[in-house]
Amino acid sequence: MNKKIIIGNWKMNPSSVTDAEKLFKSIKKSLVKGVDTVVCAPFPYLQSLKKIGVTQNFALGAENVHFEKEGAFTGEVSTSMLSSVGVKYCIVGHSERRAQGETDEMVAKKVLALNKIKIIPIICVGEKERDHSGFYLNTVKEQVVASLSLIPKASFKNVIVAYEPVWAIGSSALRAATPAECHEMIIFIRKCISDISNQATAHSTRIIYGGSASVEDAGAFLNFGMADGFLLGRASLNAKSFGEIIKIASINISK
Ligand code: PGA
């Protein structure tokens, strides 16, 4: 069984560094040994959050990165910049970035650049909608295979794949996926990884769920859904919910 990981994606929240520090401190009180916790925060907050204190089990993540090392890329941030402020994880391919033009090819380059500097990529994959013929499986397969295409197979265990069906994300979501839908996709994603590496590698890659995940359904996603953890949007902006989900993950590992 892979170690559980609960990742918060704060997106473009909260609105000030003071509020960010407050939220980070509250989340820090809920940490549980045996569960990795990560907060992916907006760039301007990273350095202040690091000063509050990070540990092996409580790490900082970024929400985006550029794949080039340096140069004339106005508004972009490089892997070494992230590393220099203590970032250990970075989201790539989030559907909100794909909607702004991030392609599978860019995701692959970002995964390569992050892998080189030992920042763990959190690779978001997921279909926009489900069709009865199952073509959505091809979409997810293409995203998984493309995003891993530039790194060595030995590095697959150092990435996290987040299954985030686009229809389940955010306040306009239809609904969260069901634990059964999550289970099916986690098996499918593992098979995709196994096909391009081997079974042992596929088993050691952490695959998590994201999209309207909440305190109410967290246990079911971890048990029946077979998720190795969560990428939480809205639930990560509420320290109480975030903390409860961390606790649920810890109960789940001791079973
Ligand atoms: P949500 O966001 O939990 O608010 O649906 C998840 C995400 O976008 O990563």
Side-chain angles (χ1 to χ4, degrees):
M1 194 193 266
N2 293 322
K3 192 173 179 194
K4 297 280 180 287
I5 184 160
I6 311 299
I7 304 171
N9 173 13
W10 281 0
K11 308 191 180 184
M12 203 166 73
N13 299 292
S15 55
S16 73
V17 70
T18 314
D19 288 348
E21 287 174 355
K22 230 189 264 169
L23 179 58
F24 195 75
K25 282 181 192 158
S26 312
I27 292 170
K28 201 165 182 243
K29 289 187 193 137
S30 317
L31 301 181
V32 176
K33 233 170 134 193
V35 176
D36 287 334
T37 303
V38 180
V39 170
C40 296
F43 297 138
Y45 301 158
L46 293 170
Q47 219 170 353
S48 325
L49 299 182
K50 179 163 184 245
K51 283 191 193 132
I52 293 171
V54 288
T55 62
Q56 189 100 24
N57 287 341
F58 184 47
L60 266 184
E63 299 177 15
N64 187 28
V65 70
H66 198 278
F67 48 82
E68 293 290 351
K69 274 201 181 118
E70 59 191 3
F73 301 99
T74 303
E76 298 290 352
V77 165
S78 72
T79 54
S80 65
M81 291 175 190
L82 294 182
S83 184
S84 74
V85 293
V87 164
K88 301 286 181 213
Y89 294 80
C90 181
I91 297 172
V92 295
H94 192 280
S95 60
E96 287 154 16
R97 299 223 54 96
R98 289 184 191 264
Q100 289 184 50
E102 186 159 319
T103 61
D104 281 345
E105 199 190 347
M106 289 159 74
V107 173
K109 288 183 183 171
K110 290 180 181 195
V111 170
L112 174 64
L114 291 165
N115 186 57
K116 278 189 181 156
I117 204 159
K118 296 195 165 47
I119 294 177
I120 298 180
I122 303 156
I123 305 168
C124 300
V125 299
E127 75 283 0
K128 284 202 185 112
E129 54 190 15
R130 287 203 165 198
D131 54 285
H132 291 300
S133 321
F135 287 119
Y136 64 91
L137 295 171
N138 288 342
T139 309
V140 173
K141 182 178 179 177
E142 276 167 23
Q143 290 174 341
V144 171
V145 172
S147 57
L148 296 173
S149 62
L150 301 179
I151 57 167
K153 295 182 184 16
S155 296
F156 289 6
K157 61 179 185 309
N158 301 326
V159 308
I160 293 168
V161 178
Y163 171 56
E164 293 215 307
V166 182
W167 48 266
I169 294 175
S171 49
S172 56
L174 295 174
R175 58 176 175 88
T178 63
E181 287 165 336
C182 172
H183 188 180
E184 173 202 63
M185 286 306 297
I186 286 187
I187 291 174
F188 179 71
I189 292 169
R190 263 195 222 295
K191 170 82 171 72
C192 295
I193 299 173
S194 172
D195 286 349
I196 52 171
S197 58
N198 54 57
Q199 265 191 38
T201 303
H203 277 288
S204 59
T205 307
R206 287 195 279 193
I207 308 177
I208 62 175
Y209 172 76
S212 301
S214 65
V215 175
E216 288 70 37
D217 53 20
F221 276 116
L222 296 169
N223 276 308
F224 314 123
M226 303 280 285
D228 291 324
F230 297 103
L231 182 56
L232 303 170
R234 283 156 294 162
S236 72
L237 294 170
N238 178 317
K240 191 163 175 273
S241 308
F242 202 160
E244 280 180 33
I245 294 173
I246 295 169
K247 204 156 117 202
I248 292 167
S250 77
I251 294 164
N252 213 265
I253 49 170
S254 55
K255 269 189 185 163

